[in-house]
Amino acid sequence: MDKNNQTIEGLLEIIEKYNPNKKELEEIKRAYAYAADVHYGVKRLTGEAYISHPLAVAYILTDIKADYSTISAALLHDVLEDSDVTYEELCNEFNSGIADLVDGVTKINKLNFDKNRSGNAEIATQRKILVGLCKDARVIIIKLADRLHNMQTLWVHSEEKQKQKAQETLDILTPIANRLGMSKIKGELEDLCLRYLKPDVYFSIVEELNQSKADRDAAVNYMMGRVSELLNKNGISHEIKGRAKSIYSIYKKLDKGRKFKDIYDLYALRVFVDTEEECYHALGIIHSKYKPLPKRFKDYIAMPKTNMYQSLHTTVFGEDGYLFEIQIRTYEMDEIAERGIASHWAYKENNSDNVSTLMKNTMEQKLQFFRSLIELNNEEVDDEDFVKSVKNDIFDENVYVFTPMGDVIELPRGATPIDFAYKVHSGVGDKMVGAIVNNNIVPLNYELQDNDIVKINTNKNSSGPSYEWLNIVKTNQARNKIRGFFNRIDKEELKKKGEELLLKELRRRKISFHDIFTDEKLPDILEEAKVKSIDELYIALGNNQVTPGAVINTVSNERETKEETILRKKMGASEAISEQAKGDIIVSGIDDIKISVASCCKPVPGDEILGYITKGSGITVHRSICPNVSELEERIIDVKWNNSISKKYPSSLMIRSIKDDNLLLKIISKTSNRNIIVQSINTIDDIDHVVINLTVLVDSLEILNQFMVDCDNLSNVVLVERTLK
Ligand code: MN
């Protein structure tokens, strides 16, 4: 198409063919008028009015049947950057959907992937932008179209600028296009990049192609005719096309040392059929007539590429001894192969909301890169590691390997089985003990190759990754997960160490733990140590960030302890029992006190109980017969069971019996009859007797007594009693 003849009317005409919505067409027209007004009087270096650029970008997007929001945003894409129009104005004038797209494109322009020029603030911004991109792929699609048009008009710039733009495009935008499966636009960009980066190579390939064109066309046309005939004879309706190899892909092959005349897939054709089954059927028919070249067959239908690409590839010996590369795919696969994520526009009604949701879902589910990006963002990874990791993921050359189930896993070149394990699942990585590649045991630093089938051996008792792995792995994802593992382990150890240090100091000063760590004092201690929880306090102690002495001093000069507070309250308390109490045990006159049930005598509802005011940890409830509380009168306080609350309590029993192999079973069956839960059992064998210590959870004394009678009635049982310690 002659770019000079592009007009808004021409644009609308094209769009109308795939989107006849009158209102949306009007909106596109309005966006154009608005942009034309803003850019009025500004000229591009090419001499054209500036508006010709956004218009050309919109034209490019019609090729992928972009929806009206995307087209409108394309027309407006330079408005925020090149004028003082604001985001809010765009929202008011159009809508937030369009304004967001324009804003997104403006932000991508600020993405700077140059490692040497990124400061901390920039890195944080980059992360935000990258995460933002995941929300709406249309932003990147507009950016790609924008860059394509700029590359098409790159001739206007100085050689230096040409090379710089071309390199940037090749480094950043074509890998992104590849990630999105948009191979058509990627191919166009790559060819343009090569033209400016290595003009001599580019033009010599063009020259070679031109010279051999007549011969090649003849050979390809002949072969197409024969293959088509063959498929017709077998009743497969199809289309068949010759396929021009991109200049850039030929350059890559030459660059690897091949000679031009040895690039056999210069002769290439593509067969289109209606269904997946027909793809395989067609393949079988072609192979039965033309011998396939070994190892050149690829089934990307059963195993799609990570950017959703599907097709069957084979290379066969053709009629005249030429090798032909043949790709077989359905029309739908072709749409996805050419346009990737944008293919959704061709298949969906033109409902923008639907399209962006659908694209988002596709990105999350089908595009591995985005899935790992989203996962990575959910992990605790600092901004720098995040951006580095994403850059590696997008821009490094990749290797494709398989799980034993045939799923493709994409990793940067040089990746090891450890990277593979962590990419599959961090649980797999942490429990990994070995790897098997193509049925052979390999060392953990083995460099994965394309098409390797990788099986990870795990052992649930594995103690976890080793520090050595940090030097072996290639991906930041694996490195981060291994570091995360060690952080967790280290924290546990520091916690233990910190707790020990504190207890030691307390012992030295003869202070009880409970005197210091009261509910009232804890907040002061934590605040003084600048930590949020007692676990963090231990870690800080273990790290020597704070000393045990400092922690204790924070509070130890405050004389009134919790026990004193309670004692003081008790003096003035009325004897009336507050029925408002919320807990299972009611303390006379006092609420809001920590109450716990004593573990020595284990009272259960129905037992006569009393409260004992402990040093520092509130009130402990004992059975009134408990020998541990008989003395200190002034520490005793009235308590009673709150009958409106039902809860199970532990009770310990000792059962003495004559030896009986089935005794345990019998006892346990008695517990289930009474809705009693067994918490622990241990058995001590005598010569002819057996003693069972049993702790059960029961609702009340009544049930406990019934259960004791049940046990007592078992033959061989000699004695059943509640234990007091
Ligand atoms: Mn632009």
Side-chain angles (χ1 to χ4, degrees), residues 511-521 555-569 613-618 635:
I511 301 174
S512 136
F513 178 86
H514 298 295
D515 284 345
I516 296 289
F517 287 84
T518 63
D519 291 353
E520 279 163 8
K521 290 176 182 172
V555 287
S556 66
N557 27 7
E558 283 177 39
R559 286 294 15 140
E560 195 183 61
T561 58
K562 184 105 182 179
E563 72 194 288
E564 285 160 343
T565 315
I566 300 169
L567 288 170
R568 191 164 44 78
K569 280 188 181 173
I613 301 163
T614 62
K615 288 195 169 197
S617 63
R635 285 185 178 272

Side-chain angles (χ1 to χ4, degrees), residues 346-395:
Y347 282 96
K348 270 286 138 185
E349 292 305 299
N350 293 286
N351 176 337
S352 316
D353 289 345
N354 260 345
V355 172
S356 70
T357 323
L358 194 73
M359 280 187 173
K360 188 165 181 282
N361 292 343
T362 309
M363 285 169 94
E364 287 175 9
Q365 287 157 21
K366 298 213 177 136
L367 294 172
Q368 212 173 87
F369 158 66
F370 284 96
R371 221 170 41 218
S372 21
L373 199 154
I374 292 161
E375 265 173 32
L376 195 65
N377 193 43
N378 292 335
E379 284 167 28
E380 281 178 36
V381 175
D382 73 34
D383 293 334
E384 196 175 342
D385 277 350
F386 177 85
V387 172
K388 231 202 271 169
S389 178
V390 173
K391 279 184 207 169
N392 286 351
D393 245 17
I394 311 184
F395 305 127

Side-chain angles (χ1 to χ4, degrees), residues 357-572:
T357 323
L358 194 73
M359 280 187 173
K360 188 165 181 282
N361 292 343
T362 309
M363 285 169 94
E364 287 175 9
Q365 287 157 21
K366 298 213 177 136
L367 294 172
Q368 212 173 87
F369 158 66
F370 284 96
R371 221 170 41 218
S372 21
L373 199 154
I374 292 161
E375 265 173 32
L376 195 65
N377 193 43
N378 292 335
E379 284 167 28
E380 281 178 36
V381 175
D382 73 34
D383 293 334
E384 196 175 342
D385 277 350
F386 177 85
V387 172
K388 231 202 271 169
S389 178
V390 173
K391 279 184 207 169
N392 286 351
D393 245 17
I394 311 184
F395 305 127
D396 277 8
E397 223 197 312
N398 295 310
V399 42
Y400 298 88
V401 298
F402 295 103
T403 67
M405 302 302 291
D407 293 325
V408 186
I409 301 290
E410 183 176 30
L411 291 160
R413 221 158 256 294
T416 65
I418 306 175
D419 294 291
F420 175 92
Y422 279 102
K423 179 109 185 186
V424 172
H425 192 273
S426 52
V428 175
D430 287 346
K431 294 289 166 208
M432 164 171 193
V433 290
I436 293 175
V437 171
N438 307 328
N439 293 323
N440 294 313
I441 295 174
V442 296
L444 293 184
N445 64 358
Y446 168 83
E447 194 173 301
L448 294 171
Q449 304 296 316
D450 276 321
N451 303 321
D452 275 350
I453 298 169
V454 187
K455 184 173 180 293
I456 299 298
N457 290 335
T458 57
N459 180 337
K460 67 178 186 324
N461 297 321
S462 153
S463 59
S466 88
Y467 277 102
E468 184 56 27
W469 291 10
L470 289 170
N471 300 322
I472 297 175
V473 296
K474 169 87 179 177
T475 57
N476 284 306
Q477 189 180 19
R479 197 166 291 121
N480 285 328
K481 286 181 173 172
I482 295 168
R483 281 208 196 105
F485 178 89
F486 287 125
N487 283 340
R488 287 194 304 275
I489 298 293
D490 291 351
K491 268 188 192 157
E492 279 309 311
E493 270 175 16
L494 285 174
K495 224 168 83 182
K496 234 188 266 165
K497 187 174 153 206
E499 190 173 3
E500 274 164 19
L501 283 171
L502 181 72
L503 293 175
K504 205 169 133 195
E505 179 66 13
L506 286 168
R507 273 197 302 276
R508 198 180 67 76
R509 297 207 201 175
K510 299 199 171 48
I511 301 174
S512 136
F513 178 86
H514 298 295
D515 284 345
I516 296 289
F517 287 84
T518 63
D519 291 353
E520 279 163 8
K521 290 176 182 172
L522 192 59
D524 293 341
I525 296 173
L526 298 182
E527 196 186 301
E528 190 63 27
K530 299 188 177 65
V531 293
K532 290 192 203 73
S533 67
I534 198 150
D535 281 352
E536 281 184 29
L537 177 70
Y538 289 147
I539 290 167
L541 282 162
N543 260 335
N544 299 322
Q545 279 167 6
V546 286
T547 63
V551 170
I552 297 166
N553 289 340
T554 315
V555 287
S556 66
N557 27 7
E558 283 177 39
R559 286 294 15 140
E560 195 183 61
T561 58
K562 184 105 182 179
E563 72 194 288
E564 285 160 343
T565 315
I566 300 169
L567 288 170
R568 191 164 44 78
K569 280 188 181 173
K570 188 197 161 193
M571 302 306 171

Side-chain angles (χ1 to χ4, degrees), residues 655 657-674 676 678 681 690 692 694 696 706-717:
I655 301 168
S657 159
I658 295 165
K659 277 218 166 137
D660 177 351
D661 288 343
N662 292 319
L663 186 61
L664 278 181
L665 200 64
K666 289 180 199 160
I667 293 171
I668 288 168
S669 73
K670 294 292 176 198
T671 61
S672 47
N673 296 342
R674 304 250 177 232
I676 288 170
V678 177
I681 297 185
V690 60
I692 295 172
L694 176 70
V696 291
Q706 288 164 358
F707 173 66
M708 287 171 73
V709 172
D710 290 345
C711 293
D712 213 1
N713 288 341
L714 294 170
S715 52
N716 293 332
V717 168

